[in-house]
Amino acid sequence: MSADTTPDIVLSLEIDDPALADRLATLLGNVAGLRLAAPGETANATIVARDPRVIPEDIALTQRELDVLALMAEGASNKMIARQLNISVHTVKFHVGSLLDKLDATGRTDAVAHAARRGVIEL
Amino acid sequence: MSADTTPDIVLSLEIDDPALADRLATLLGNVAGLRLAAPGETANATIVARDPRVIPEDIALTQRELDVLALMAEGASNKMIARQLNISVHTVKFHVGSLLDKLDATGRTDAVAHAARRGVIEL
DNA sequence: CGGACGACTGGCCACCCGGCCAGTTTCGCA
DNA sequence: TGCGAAACTGGCCGGGTGGCCAGTCGTCCG
């Protein structure tokens, strides 16, 4: 059986819920052809289950705010965003201000980080 | 058997490698107590395996730069970073400057975004 | 019709940021 | 023993950022 050219698939677990993690570990431990990763071992794949309570938080952002946010995530300055969207720098600041409020951020960097964490934008 | 209070664990697959996805689907399909998610169904957990070629791009950052980067991702200003690490604002700027170079970023927001994309930091 | 809301614009200003110059100390390695 | 790398500090300054005030315009809704 060791002549198989494909070794066991190694899986690592990243589960918030301890009970679920336990059940999965038990179930998967008895499956031939795969095994769970040893501590520090590099896995072929990871089983993830984040706390679902975090996900439904989609903030109510207007289309324009999403436009500005996307450009912010690209590292664009207010001036560049203004040029890109054909609006004034003042308007960009206006939208950035709303973004900081809605995302509960202290600055544009924080805003992008929060947005990414909440899945509002994709890096 | 249906008296079990815990129904099957539902798993969804997000695997880049088609071969690996296929093997996993086959193996997991025969495990009692869990099943794969139907299209559109909400899963208890997700098995992920992203293309590993993206990961090895670990930029050579010093420990101090990693410290600064982590705080930057939290939205901290240079002043706050300085206080946190017990160094002067000038030194923080020094490290930030190196970070911008190494990460090929135009500003701290861009730097955090690049770092997150490359897996250097976790948001 | 009046009000609310989103998008947009302006001025003003304190503060922050990033880039430039310069310097010190400490450490490991050739 | 010397040399580079990392870490650290300072001054200076132009431009960026964010907060505050104010205002206009169009749309949708009660």
Side-chain angles (χ1 to χ4, degrees), chain A residues 62 64 87-88 90-91 94-95:
Chain A
T62 68
R64 219 42 172 169
I87 56 182
S88 80
H90 268 92
T91 305
F94 170 80
H95 290 305

mmCIF file of all heavy atoms in Angstrom, chain A residues 62 64 87-88 90-91 94-95, chain C residues 6-13:
data_model
loop_
_atom_site.group_PDB
_atom_site.id
_atom_site.type_symbol
_atom_site.label_atom_id
_atom_site.label_comp_id
_atom_site.label_asym_id
_atom_site.label_seq_id
_atom_site.Cartn_x
_atom_site.Cartn_y
_atom_site.Cartn_z
ATOM 1 N N THR A 62 -22.361 53.762 0.635
ATOM 2 C CA THR A 62 -22.914 54.195 -0.645
ATOM 3 C C THR A 62 -21.956 53.792 -1.762
ATOM 4 O O THR A 62 -20.804 53.444 -1.525
ATOM 5 C CB THR A 62 -23.108 55.715 -0.681
ATOM 6 O OG1 THR A 62 -21.823 56.340 -0.668
ATOM 7 C CG2 THR A 62 -23.899 56.195 0.509
ATOM 8 N N ARG A 64 -20.558 55.608 -3.984
ATOM 9 C CA ARG A 64 -19.424 56.518 -4.082
ATOM 10 C C ARG A 64 -18.371 56.210 -3.029
ATOM 11 O O ARG A 64 -17.173 56.290 -3.278
ATOM 12 C CB ARG A 64 -19.938 57.956 -3.923
ATOM 13 C CG ARG A 64 -19.272 58.977 -4.820
ATOM 14 C CD ARG A 64 -19.072 58.469 -6.207
ATOM 15 N NE ARG A 64 -18.612 59.514 -7.105
ATOM 16 C CZ ARG A 64 -18.158 59.302 -8.308
ATOM 17 N NH1 ARG A 64 -18.072 58.066 -8.761
ATOM 18 N NH2 ARG A 64 -17.771 60.314 -9.082
ATOM 19 N N ILE A 87 -13.842 64.260 -9.510
ATOM 20 C CA ILE A 87 -14.479 65.081 -8.488
ATOM 21 C C ILE A 87 -13.385 65.892 -7.793
ATOM 22 O O ILE A 87 -12.202 65.669 -8.041
ATOM 23 C CB ILE A 87 -15.242 64.232 -7.450
ATOM 24 C CG1 ILE A 87 -14.296 63.212 -6.810
ATOM 25 C CG2 ILE A 87 -16.425 63.524 -8.089
ATOM 26 C CD1 ILE A 87 -14.965 62.293 -5.809
ATOM 27 N N SER A 88 -13.772 66.819 -6.931
ATOM 28 C CA SER A 88 -12.768 67.657 -6.282
ATOM 29 C C SER A 88 -12.167 66.946 -5.077
ATOM 30 O O SER A 88 -12.747 65.993 -4.538
ATOM 31 C CB SER A 88 -13.406 68.956 -5.818
ATOM 32 O OG SER A 88 -14.085 68.754 -4.610
ATOM 33 N N HIS A 90 -11.961 68.071 -2.230
ATOM 34 C CA HIS A 90 -12.852 68.297 -1.099
ATOM 35 C C HIS A 90 -13.907 67.209 -0.989
ATOM 36 O O HIS A 90 -14.226 66.732 0.091
ATOM 37 C CB HIS A 90 -13.532 69.658 -1.225
ATOM 38 C CG HIS A 90 -12.775 70.738 -0.533
ATOM 39 N ND1 HIS A 90 -11.835 71.509 -1.151
ATOM 40 C CD2 HIS A 90 -12.794 71.124 0.754
ATOM 41 C CE1 HIS A 90 -11.325 72.348 -0.285
ATOM 42 N NE2 HIS A 90 -11.893 72.143 0.879
ATOM 43 N N THR A 91 -14.445 66.827 -2.130
ATOM 44 C CA THR A 91 -15.461 65.777 -2.138
ATOM 45 C C THR A 91 -14.866 64.446 -1.701
ATOM 46 O O THR A 91 -15.500 63.672 -0.982
ATOM 47 C CB THR A 91 -16.066 65.645 -3.542
ATOM 48 O OG1 THR A 91 -16.549 66.923 -3.947
ATOM 49 C CG2 THR A 91 -17.200 64.659 -3.543
ATOM 50 N N PHE A 94 -14.619 64.464 1.874
ATOM 51 C CA PHE A 94 -15.969 64.287 2.408
ATOM 52 C C PHE A 94 -16.319 62.806 2.507
ATOM 53 O O PHE A 94 -16.765 62.325 3.559
ATOM 54 C CB PHE A 94 -16.966 65.028 1.516
ATOM 55 C CG PHE A 94 -18.401 64.734 1.815
ATOM 56 C CD1 PHE A 94 -19.048 65.356 2.872
ATOM 57 C CD2 PHE A 94 -19.094 63.826 1.038
ATOM 58 C CE1 PHE A 94 -20.374 65.078 3.150
ATOM 59 C CE2 PHE A 94 -20.422 63.544 1.312
ATOM 60 C CZ PHE A 94 -21.062 64.172 2.376
ATOM 61 N N HIS A 95 -16.065 62.075 1.429
ATOM 62 C CA HIS A 95 -16.375 60.639 1.417
ATOM 63 C C HIS A 95 -15.457 59.875 2.365
ATOM 64 O O HIS A 95 -15.894 58.960 3.066
ATOM 65 C CB HIS A 95 -16.244 60.083 0.002
ATOM 66 C CG HIS A 95 -17.307 60.568 -0.926
ATOM 67 N ND1 HIS A 95 -18.644 60.426 -0.662
ATOM 68 C CD2 HIS A 95 -17.228 61.201 -2.112
ATOM 69 C CE1 HIS A 95 -19.347 60.949 -1.663
ATOM 70 N NE2 HIS A 95 -18.508 61.440 -2.546
ATOM 71 P P DG C 6 -27.557 58.893 3.090
ATOM 72 O OP1 DG C 6 -27.591 57.477 3.513
ATOM 73 O OP2 DG C 6 -26.924 59.901 3.964
ATOM 74 O "O5'" DG C 6 -26.857 58.964 1.664
ATOM 75 C "C5'" DG C 6 -27.551 58.468 0.533
ATOM 76 C "C4'" DG C 6 -27.070 59.203 -0.703
ATOM 77 O "O4'" DG C 6 -27.604 60.544 -0.704
ATOM 78 C "C3'" DG C 6 -25.549 59.337 -0.783
ATOM 79 O "O3'" DG C 6 -25.098 58.770 -2.006
ATOM 80 C "C2'" DG C 6 -25.282 60.842 -0.706
ATOM 81 C "C1'" DG C 6 -26.612 61.440 -1.144
ATOM 82 N N9 DG C 6 -26.903 62.742 -0.553
ATOM 83 C C8 DG C 6 -26.933 63.064 0.781
ATOM 84 N N7 DG C 6 -27.234 64.315 1.011
ATOM 85 C C5 DG C 6 -27.394 64.857 -0.255
ATOM 86 C C6 DG C 6 -27.723 66.174 -0.645
ATOM 87 O O6 DG C 6 -27.937 67.168 0.065
ATOM 88 N N1 DG C 6 -27.801 66.294 -2.028
ATOM 89 C C2 DG C 6 -27.573 65.271 -2.924
ATOM 90 N N2 DG C 6 -27.679 65.568 -4.216
ATOM 91 N N3 DG C 6 -27.272 64.032 -2.577
ATOM 92 C C4 DG C 6 -27.198 63.900 -1.222
ATOM 93 P P DA C 7 -23.525 58.700 -2.291
ATOM 94 O OP1 DA C 7 -23.312 57.558 -3.203
ATOM 95 O OP2 DA C 7 -22.817 58.767 -0.994
ATOM 96 O "O5'" DA C 7 -23.212 60.039 -3.098
ATOM 97 C "C5'" DA C 7 -23.874 60.257 -4.336
ATOM 98 C "C4'" DA C 7 -23.511 61.640 -4.851
ATOM 99 O "O4'" DA C 7 -24.149 62.630 -4.017
ATOM 100 C "C3'" DA C 7 -22.016 61.952 -4.831
ATOM 101 O "O3'" DA C 7 -21.560 62.203 -6.151
ATOM 102 C "C2'" DA C 7 -21.894 63.195 -3.944
ATOM 103 C "C1'" DA C 7 -23.305 63.748 -3.947
ATOM 104 N N9 DA C 7 -23.635 64.481 -2.731
ATOM 105 C C8 DA C 7 -23.573 64.015 -1.446
ATOM 106 N N7 DA C 7 -23.912 64.911 -0.550
ATOM 107 C C5 DA C 7 -24.223 66.033 -1.294
ATOM 108 C C6 DA C 7 -24.659 67.323 -0.937
ATOM 109 N N6 DA C 7 -24.862 67.699 0.320
ATOM 110 N N1 DA C 7 -24.885 68.214 -1.937
ATOM 111 C C2 DA C 7 -24.673 67.827 -3.200
ATOM 112 N N3 DA C 7 -24.267 66.636 -3.662
ATOM 113 C C4 DA C 7 -24.059 65.783 -2.651
ATOM 114 P P DC C 8 -20.012 62.384 -6.430
ATOM 115 O OP1 DC C 8 -19.806 62.079 -7.862
ATOM 116 O OP2 DC C 8 -19.244 61.680 -5.402
ATOM 117 O "O5'" DC C 8 -19.789 63.952 -6.238
ATOM 118 C "C5'" DC C 8 -20.579 64.858 -6.986
ATOM 119 C "C4'" DC C 8 -20.516 66.242 -6.388
ATOM 120 O "O4'" DC C 8 -21.176 66.278 -5.106
ATOM 121 C "C3'" DC C 8 -19.107 66.773 -6.098
ATOM 122 O "O3'" DC C 8 -18.619 67.488 -7.223
ATOM 123 C "C2'" DC C 8 -19.299 67.702 -4.894
ATOM 124 C "C1'" DC C 8 -20.772 67.503 -4.519
ATOM 125 N N1 DC C 8 -20.989 67.438 -3.051
ATOM 126 C C2 DC C 8 -21.408 68.589 -2.385
ATOM 127 O O2 DC C 8 -21.591 69.616 -3.048
ATOM 128 N N3 DC C 8 -21.584 68.555 -1.043
ATOM 129 C C4 DC C 8 -21.379 67.423 -0.381
ATOM 130 N N4 DC C 8 -21.584 67.436 0.937
ATOM 131 C C5 DC C 8 -20.959 66.227 -1.041
ATOM 132 C C6 DC C 8 -20.776 66.280 -2.369
ATOM 133 P P DT C 9 -17.094 67.929 -7.228
ATOM 134 O OP1 DT C 9 -16.819 68.269 -8.650
ATOM 135 O OP2 DT C 9 -16.292 66.916 -6.524
ATOM 136 O "O5'" DT C 9 -17.033 69.273 -6.378
ATOM 137 C "C5'" DT C 9 -17.779 70.412 -6.797
ATOM 138 C "C4'" DT C 9 -17.660 71.524 -5.779
ATOM 139 O "O4'" DT C 9 -18.344 71.146 -4.563
ATOM 140 C "C3'" DT C 9 -16.233 71.860 -5.339
ATOM 141 O "O3'" DT C 9 -15.780 73.023 -5.999
ATOM 142 C "C2'" DT C 9 -16.332 72.093 -3.815
ATOM 143 C "C1'" DT C 9 -17.812 71.949 -3.544
ATOM 144 N N1 DT C 9 -18.099 71.279 -2.244
ATOM 145 C C2 DT C 9 -18.564 72.022 -1.216
ATOM 146 O O2 DT C 9 -18.776 73.221 -1.293
ATOM 147 N N3 DT C 9 -18.777 71.313 -0.047
ATOM 148 C C4 DT C 9 -18.574 69.967 0.147
ATOM 149 O O4 DT C 9 -18.807 69.443 1.226
ATOM 150 C C5 DT C 9 -18.087 69.240 -0.984
ATOM 151 C C7 DT C 9 -17.832 67.772 -0.885
ATOM 152 C C6 DT C 9 -17.871 69.919 -2.115
ATOM 153 P P DG C 10 -14.240 73.445 -5.883
ATOM 154 O OP1 DG C 10 -13.907 74.237 -7.087
ATOM 155 O OP2 DG C 10 -13.429 72.263 -5.533
ATOM 156 O "O5'" DG C 10 -14.217 74.404 -4.589
ATOM 157 C "C5'" DG C 10 -14.972 75.607 -4.620
ATOM 158 C "C4'" DG C 10 -15.020 76.219 -3.244
ATOM 159 O "O4'" DG C 10 -15.771 75.362 -2.366
ATOM 160 C "C3'" DG C 10 -13.657 76.372 -2.556
ATOM 161 O "O3'" DG C 10 -13.135 77.667 -2.816
ATOM 162 C "C2'" DG C 10 -13.972 76.206 -1.067
ATOM 163 C "C1'" DG C 10 -15.395 75.663 -1.034
ATOM 164 N N9 DG C 10 -15.530 74.442 -0.238
ATOM 165 C C8 DG C 10 -15.395 73.135 -0.650
ATOM 166 N N7 DG C 10 -15.583 72.262 0.283
ATOM 167 C C5 DG C 10 -15.869 73.037 1.406
ATOM 168 C C6 DG C 10 -16.177 72.652 2.731
ATOM 169 O O6 DG C 10 -16.232 71.511 3.187
ATOM 170 N N1 DG C 10 -16.402 73.764 3.548
ATOM 171 C C2 DG C 10 -16.349 75.064 3.127
ATOM 172 N N2 DG C 10 -16.587 75.999 4.049
ATOM 173 N N3 DG C 10 -16.079 75.438 1.897
ATOM 174 C C4 DG C 10 -15.853 74.381 1.089
ATOM 175 P P DG C 11 -11.671 78.025 -2.414
ATOM 176 O OP1 DG C 11 -11.322 79.268 -3.140
ATOM 177 O OP2 DG C 11 -10.855 76.806 -2.574
ATOM 178 O "O5'" DG C 11 -11.747 78.348 -0.836
ATOM 179 C "C5'" DG C 11 -12.702 79.281 -0.375
ATOM 180 C "C4'" DG C 11 -12.595 79.434 1.135
ATOM 181 O "O4'" DG C 11 -13.151 78.244 1.770
ATOM 182 C "C3'" DG C 11 -11.169 79.582 1.666
ATOM 183 O "O3'" DG C 11 -11.123 80.693 2.562
ATOM 184 C "C2'" DG C 11 -10.884 78.270 2.385
ATOM 185 C "C1'" DG C 11 -12.275 77.805 2.793
ATOM 186 N N9 DG C 11 -12.414 76.357 2.880
ATOM 187 C C8 DG C 11 -12.189 75.444 1.881
ATOM 188 N N7 DG C 11 -12.402 74.207 2.239
ATOM 189 C C5 DG C 11 -12.794 74.304 3.566
ATOM 190 C C6 DG C 11 -13.156 73.294 4.491
ATOM 191 O O6 DG C 11 -13.202 72.085 4.315
ATOM 192 N N1 DG C 11 -13.492 73.832 5.738
ATOM 193 C C2 DG C 11 -13.475 75.157 6.038
ATOM 194 N N2 DG C 11 -13.813 75.481 7.278
ATOM 195 N N3 DG C 11 -13.144 76.123 5.186
ATOM 196 C C4 DG C 11 -12.813 75.619 3.974
ATOM 197 P P DC C 12 -9.710 81.245 3.092
ATOM 198 O OP1 DC C 12 -9.923 82.669 3.443
ATOM 199 O OP2 DC C 12 -8.651 80.835 2.153
ATOM 200 O "O5'" DC C 12 -9.503 80.416 4.442
ATOM 201 C "C5'" DC C 12 -10.505 80.476 5.445
ATOM 202 C "C4'" DC C 12 -10.133 79.549 6.591
ATOM 203 O "O4'" DC C 12 -10.500 78.194 6.240
ATOM 204 C "C3'" DC C 12 -8.640 79.522 6.927
ATOM 205 O "O3'" DC C 12 -8.460 79.939 8.269
ATOM 206 C "C2'" DC C 12 -8.223 78.064 6.742
ATOM 207 C "C1'" DC C 12 -9.554 77.328 6.827
ATOM 208 N N1 DC C 12 -9.595 76.039 6.072
ATOM 209 C C2 DC C 12 -9.974 74.864 6.731
ATOM 210 O O2 DC C 12 -10.261 74.927 7.928
ATOM 211 N N3 DC C 12 -10.012 73.701 6.039
ATOM 212 C C4 DC C 12 -9.698 73.687 4.738
ATOM 213 N N4 DC C 12 -9.755 72.524 4.099
ATOM 214 C C5 DC C 12 -9.310 74.878 4.053
ATOM 215 C C6 DC C 12 -9.271 76.023 4.743
ATOM 216 P P DC C 13 -7.003 80.287 8.825
ATOM 217 O OP1 DC C 13 -7.155 81.381 9.796
ATOM 218 O OP2 DC C 13 -6.081 80.414 7.683
ATOM 219 O "O5'" DC C 13 -6.627 78.952 9.617
ATOM 220 C "C5'" DC C 13 -7.599 78.349 10.461
ATOM 221 C "C4'" DC C 13 -7.065 77.023 10.992
ATOM 222 O "O4'" DC C 13 -7.397 75.960 10.058
ATOM 223 C "C3'" DC C 13 -5.547 76.981 11.170
ATOM 224 O "O3'" DC C 13 -5.237 76.370 12.409
ATOM 225 C "C2'" DC C 13 -5.081 76.124 9.999
ATOM 226 C "C1'" DC C 13 -6.248 75.162 9.861
ATOM 227 N N1 DC C 13 -6.360 74.502 8.526
ATOM 228 C C2 DC C 13 -6.756 73.168 8.453
ATOM 229 O O2 DC C 13 -7.007 72.565 9.487
ATOM 230 N N3 DC C 13 -6.836 72.587 7.234
ATOM 231 C C4 DC C 13 -6.548 73.293 6.132
ATOM 232 N N4 DC C 13 -6.648 72.673 4.962
ATOM 233 C C5 DC C 13 -6.145 74.649 6.190
ATOM 234 C C6 DC C 13 -6.069 75.219 7.399
#
